[in-house]
Amino acid sequence: MTKSNYKLTKKDFNQINRRSLFGFQLGWNYERMQGSGYLYTILPQLRKMYGDGTPELKSMMKTHSQFFNTSNFLNTIVTGIDMAIEEEEGIAGQESIAGLKVGLMGPFAAIGDSIFGALLPTIFGALAANMAVNGNPIGALIWMLVNFAVMFFRWKQLEIAHKEGVSLVTTMQSRLTAITDAATLLGVFMVGALVATMINVRLSWTPVIGDLVIDVQNNVDMIMPRLLPAVIVGAVYWLLGKKNITSTKAIFIVLVVSIALSALGVISK
Amino acid sequence: MAVAWWQIILLTLYAGYQILDELQVYTGLAQPVFAGLVAGLIMGDVTTGLIIGGSMQLTVLGIGTFGGSSKIDANSGTVLATAFSVGIGMNPEQAIAAIAVPVAGLMIQMDILGRFANTFFAHRIDTKIEEMDYKGIERNYLMGALSWSLSRAIPVLLALSLGGSFVNSIVSVLNNQLLWLGNGLAVAGAVLPAVGFAILLRYLPVKKHLPYLILGFVITALLTTVFGNIQVLGGSVAGVVEGFANTFTGMPMLAIALIGFAFAFKEYKRTTEAPKFQQMNGSVSEEGEIEDDEI
């Protein structure tokens, strides 16, 4: 059991961050997903720790090229904790590191996906899209600035995770839950707002009773403005809850049904 | 052929780059709204690009690649729809439903192909680990960028080079013989964002935050109606009254977002400071009473 005495420097952190930011998912594949990407981000540091050509290095490289998949926004938190342990334990920590990686990738994937995959796009993507359909690129540029801010945090989290080690996961837990809870609230609120503004179709159905023409849309507006968009979203929501309906299928079903209803003169723009 | 060769090259390059951006730095350039902006800039009609990009953005809101599932490729769809819409003069909303969505759906297969291709490089890396060939590991790893970007660039290149006359004939049919379908496609383009919203609702804890869904919807529905009607009124009055120079803007979405943010902030405060809450209530009112007693 050789204990490596190499300690990571600022330069190493920068190198890991560079490799993570510009290449973490390039090698994504079905078999190992981000496995080889994980190895790629820390390869230079592994070589410094275990020394080129040693059997320890080879065995560690194999460990780090195994299956791995987490949020590509939070992956360096796992890397940081992993590196802290390897500095201490070296090859002796091989099994605990493999276990730690498998244990952490799930929770961080869930947190990362909900924050970066759902919430930010809801809030900023919606703003950007809302302005874009009116021909205004400002919203898109604001979103880009937000993404640069996210990048800044991605750059910082590696060192924090390395310093705090495993305890970080427990201390973050309660605060993250509160933030995620508040953020999902904002997300839900915004979706409600989007439903009311972004689906611009109206009922064009005007039944005639005797010599009275009934403007259905007008009557619906008296009950609740923007009711039709809400009903449409509700219907798609229900549809998505069905078995074997993927988002792609839902998009094509909506496409066909909209064309049919438009041809029948029920809805129009 | 209305899309110039240099435009095809630039659009192809963008299509190849955007997927890498999404995988790595995530600047936002890999979002449909930017695909529309970039394609619009290249084609010389930013407004059309933004309309198509914005609508596609809403359609795929909340569709992330969770655990490596393929999602529909709204970016390539947006690029092609924008190019043909501007180049051939197709109505943007028709282009969304007739080009962007089908293309995005077809491109799923290319995404799967790209993800498969990289398995080959992963095995090459295993061999290189055995050989202790560090440079080889890195080289084979970075090769993955090729399969990713080619999986997007090649189809876009082919479609742009060969699809022009085909799209041209579609457009003329939609505006003449099949007018009902042409109108239907435009309506469908307007309805599609509903899918994006429904997916988000499936993903967010709706039952827990249901009151806020109602608040968000009702506040916005009322305000957007009021703002919309004022704009119509303003337009009509300006047509009749000379010297009436007020222009009324539409409802600012950011204001709505701020209301939502206030609710979210309260919720955060409530969950983090629950135990301290009762103590704070007492002291404030007591101070007020002490001042009264000095009379």
Side-chain angles (χ1 to χ4, degrees), chain A residues 4 46-52 54 56-57 60 86 90-91:
Chain A
S4 61
L46 290 177
R47 287 169 66 186
K48 284 177 187 169
M49 281 181 177
Y50 299 101
D52 279 358
T54 54
E56 284 87 3
L57 176 63
M60 268 324 223
E86 283 192 56
I91 193 79

Side-chain angles (χ1 to χ4, degrees), chain B:
Chain B
M1 191 58 228
V3 187
W5 62 268
W6 61 270
Q7 289 171 324
I8 293 180
I9 290 173
L10 286 176
L11 291 169
T12 304
L13 286 174
Y14 168 73
Y17 168 75
Q18 54 88 13
I19 185 65
L20 298 183
D21 187 291
E22 178 164 6
L23 290 169
Q24 318 162 29
V25 280
Y26 208 85
T27 56
L29 274 171
Q31 296 290 355
V33 68
F34 272 98
L37 179 61
V38 173
L41 282 170
I42 294 170
M43 295 304 299
D45 183 349
V46 176
T47 311
T48 301
L50 282 172
I51 290 171
I52 295 173
S55 301
M56 284 306 277
Q57 182 75 57
L58 292 170
T59 307
V60 299
L61 267 188
I63 304 183
T65 46
F66 302 122
S69 52
S70 293
K71 60 174 175 182
I72 71 167
D73 185 357
N75 296 336
S76 305
T78 303
V79 167
L80 291 183
T82 306
F84 288 134
S85 174
V86 177
I88 292 165
M90 193 175 188
N91 162 352
E93 250 136 5
Q94 277 185 8
I96 292 162
I99 300 176
V101 172
V103 166
L106 284 171
M107 290 289 286
I108 292 179
Q109 309 306 327
M110 294 307 294
D111 185 64
I112 293 173
L113 196 67
R115 288 167 189 264
F116 260 123
N118 274 342
T119 312
F120 165 76
F121 291 117
H123 285 280
R124 287 271 292 270
I125 290 172
D126 285 345
T127 323
K128 296 292 175 199
I129 289 178
E130 287 302 327
E131 295 167 6
M132 292 292 212
D133 175 4
Y134 311 107
K135 281 273 176 289
I137 294 173
E138 289 175 7
R139 196 175 51 244
N140 275 299
Y141 178 72
L142 295 174
M143 289 290 238
L146 269 181
S147 34
W148 275 115
S149 31
L150 289 179
S151 72
R152 305 300 197 272
I154 293 173
V156 167
L157 177 66
L158 290 176
L160 286 174
S161 333
L162 310 173
S165 53
F166 175 64
V167 174
N168 220 342
S169 51
I170 289 181
V171 172
S172 73
V173 169
L174 285 181
N175 291 332
N176 301 307
Q177 296 93 322
L178 294 177
L179 191 59
W180 63 270
L181 182 60
N183 290 339
L185 284 170
V187 171
V191 176
L192 278 173
V195 184
F197 305 154
I199 292 167
L200 275 177
L201 290 179
R202 280 266 161 216
Y203 197 77
L204 294 163
V206 173
K207 286 196 176 68
K208 185 178 172 188
H209 294 314
L210 188 65
Y212 298 99
L213 179 69
I214 297 167
L215 276 172
F217 174 76
V218 175
I219 291 172
T220 316
L222 293 176
L223 283 176
T224 199
T225 310
V226 171
F227 271 92
N229 290 349
I230 289 176
Q231 276 186 297
V232 174
L233 265 179
S236 313
V237 172
V240 180
V241 181
E242 272 185 55
F244 182 85
N246 288 341
T247 47
F248 297 107
T249 54
M251 187 195 65
M253 200 66 177
L254 191 65
I256 300 285
L258 284 174
I259 296 174
F261 181 76
F263 283 128
F265 194 68
K266 261 185 81 82
E267 172 80 3
Y268 177 74
K269 276 269 192 263
R270 198 182 59 79
T271 44
T272 47
E273 297 178 10
K276 294 179 194 168
F277 191 67
Q278 286 177 326
Q279 295 164 5
M280 281 174 55
N281 258 353
S283 61
V284 178
S285 59
E286 274 169 26
E287 276 181 14
E289 280 179 28
I290 290 166
E291 285 179 340
D292 285 347
D293 285 346
E294 289 177 344
I295 299 166

Side-chain angles (χ1 to χ4, degrees), chain A residues 10-65:
Chain A
K10 186 83 192 160
K11 241 187 181 148
D12 288 315
F13 288 130
N14 288 345
Q15 187 175 27
I16 294 175
N17 270 325
R18 262 201 314 277
R19 286 187 172 219
S20 169
L21 217 51
F22 293 105
F24 181 58
Q25 294 202 96
L26 290 181
W28 200 103
N29 62 80
Y30 278 120
E31 191 184 323
R32 311 274 178 79
M33 298 201 175
Q34 299 164 343
S36 36
Y38 195 98
L39 173 65
Y40 173 78
T41 50
I42 56 171
L43 187 57
Q45 284 65 41
L46 290 177
R47 287 169 66 186
K48 284 177 187 169
M49 281 181 177
Y50 299 101
D52 279 358
T54 54
E56 284 87 3
L57 176 63
K58 186 189 277 193
S59 141
M60 268 324 223
M61 286 200 297
K62 278 184 187 162
T63 300
H64 286 308
S65 64

